[in-house]
């Protein structure tokens, strides 16, 4: 997919994903959810597919994928080496990435949905922290 096509795809996905109900699931490849708004980003679960390769740094694909990963509420990878490779390349906090071998299974989705809900309920702004 060329650069203009990737950006157009991300724009189309932004509109589609803004109409999705509860949590929003998107793969990282190509950064389809890179341009979603803040309300969608709070529900965004990004899945790094098994065997995914880190794009070349500075490319449009790298920018889109990095933007999506950094905006995601949760990031899921199939294995630790993949999670570490993406975290290092995109300067992500490794603690934000969950390892779920079968992210598409019902058990994994239920567990991740629970964690997403728990983080949304318990997250407070740094200036609102209890004293």
């Amino acid at each position: 997919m060329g650069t203009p096509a990737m950006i157009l795809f991300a724009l189309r996905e932004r509109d589609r994903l803004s109409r999705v109900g509860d949590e929003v699931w998107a793969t990282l490849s190509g950064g389809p959810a890179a341009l979603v708004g803040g309300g969608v980003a709070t529900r965004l679960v990004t899945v790094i597919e098994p065997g995914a390769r880190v794009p070349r740094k500075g490319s449009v694909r790298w920018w889109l994928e990095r933007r999506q990963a950094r905006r995601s509420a949760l990031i899921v990878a199939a294995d630790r080496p993949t999670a570490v490779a993406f975290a290092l390349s995109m300067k992500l906090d490794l603690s934000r990435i969950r390892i779920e071998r079968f992210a598409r299974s019902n058990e994994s989705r239920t567990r991740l949905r629970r964690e997403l809900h728990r983080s949304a309920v318990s997250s407070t702004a740094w200036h609102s922290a209890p004293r």
Side-chain angles (χ1 to χ4, degrees):
M1 191 181 308
T3 301
M6 290 173 72
I7 294 172
L8 285 173
F9 182 67
L11 286 169
R12 273 189 252 118
E13 283 296 288
R14 177 187 64 185
D15 295 337
R16 186 185 71 78
L17 293 173
S18 66
R19 294 188 299 270
V20 173
D22 296 330
E23 70 274 347
V24 177
W25 294 79
T27 62
L28 186 61
S29 182
L35 304 177
V36 296
V40 176
T42 60
R43 303 174 291 147
L44 179 60
V45 179
T46 292
V47 179
I48 303 172
E49 296 293 333
R53 294 183 333 162
V54 178
R56 185 177 47 83
K57 192 170 183 173
S59 67
V60 172
R61 180 176 172 202
W62 177 83
W63 181 81
L64 287 169
E65 289 183 8
R66 181 174 187 256
R67 181 175 167 90
Q68 177 178 331
R70 292 177 67 91
R71 294 179 62 99
S72 298
L74 278 177
I75 304 168
V76 182
D79 54 44
R80 186 167 176 76
T82 302
V84 170
F86 276 87
L88 290 174
S89 170
M90 298 183 177
K91 297 183 178 152
L92 302 173
D93 181 1
L94 194 55
S95 68
R96 292 185 55 229
I97 303 176
R98 303 295 174 263
I99 308 297
E100 289 286 342
R101 191 164 208 58
F102 304 106
R104 305 264 186 227
S105 73
N106 288 336
E107 297 85 25
S108 291
R109 285 198 175 220
T110 301
R111 193 172 27 257
L112 292 166
R113 189 175 294 126
R114 218 176 301 129
E115 184 172 345
L116 185 64
H117 178 70
R118 194 172 40 245
S119 68
V121 169
S122 66
S123 67
T124 58
W126 64 271
H127 53 79
S128 300
R131 298 179 199 264

